Amino acid sequence: MKGSLIVVAFFCIGCLVGIFNDFQFDMHNLSMYILYALMLQVGISIGSNKNLKFLIKSLRPNMLLVPIATIVGTLLFSAFASLLLSQWSVFDCMAVGSGFAYYSLSSILITQFKEASVGLQLATELGTIALLANIFREMMALLGAPLIRKYFGKLAPISAAGVNSMDVLLPSITHYSGKDMIPVAIFHGILIDMSVPFFVSLFCSL
């Protein structure tokens, strides 16, 4: 939760800096370099995971059902959200949902991909919505883990966590769902993490 608040704080600082300064250099190129750095970090975090060998040995075909359910459920309810948001299309809403709580990467991707079709202002607005929506998802999964586990079962906190099931929310998942859920949570997080660029780019192009 602290990390999410720090991200929001830096976002607000960036907005204030942008308002009171007229930058002469190309911000598009800068944001792309940041995006490349984020993708590098994703690869490093997956490759350096100490539980990776243990995870590979414990893989079972039925473990795929959890990330599939997370993706289908998230995209389905994101599509329903478009019925309440007339300004944004169903694909825009699904692009936002495709962040799966990976707020830093999804917001940058959406801003980059949508700029050409809707302009910088609307692209930035949609990227901001993605940032806040995915931060809220992480915070709700963290704070609501006990209730999610109680009413929806031990796999539900993993699904609610999205990409964070393999890192930030893993201790909470372990506590409420049990240590036997660790391989599922890590496997789920890795697959969801890898799916974010694909789904965001797909729905932004539609």
Side-chain angles (χ1 to χ4, degrees), residues 49-146:
N49 193 311
K50 295 180 180 179
N51 296 313
L52 192 58
K53 291 183 179 180
F54 167 72
L55 173 65
I56 293 174
K57 291 180 181 179
S58 62
L59 289 180
R60 300 292 183 273
N62 59 355
M63 291 171 65
L64 282 170
L65 295 176
V66 183
I68 290 173
T70 298
I71 292 171
V72 172
T74 299
L75 296 181
L76 182 62
F77 280 94
S78 297
F80 286 152
S82 67
L83 300 176
L84 305 174
L85 304 171
S86 58
Q87 180 181 358
W88 305 107
S89 70
V90 61
F91 297 120
D92 291 335
C93 292
M94 292 174 78
V96 170
S98 296
F100 301 110
Y102 199 160
Y103 45 82
S104 55
L105 179 61
S106 61
S107 58
I108 293 176
L109 283 174
I110 288 174
T111 302
Q112 292 296 323
F113 288 135
K114 295 298 292 185
E115 182 179 353
S117 59
V118 300
L120 180 59
Q121 182 176 345
L122 286 178
T124 303
E125 185 177 337
L126 188 61
T128 303
I129 293 172
L131 173 71
L132 296 176
N134 286 290
I135 285 179
F136 287 151
R137 175 171 182 165
E138 180 187 282
M139 295 175 66
M140 290 175 65
L142 179 62
L143 299 176

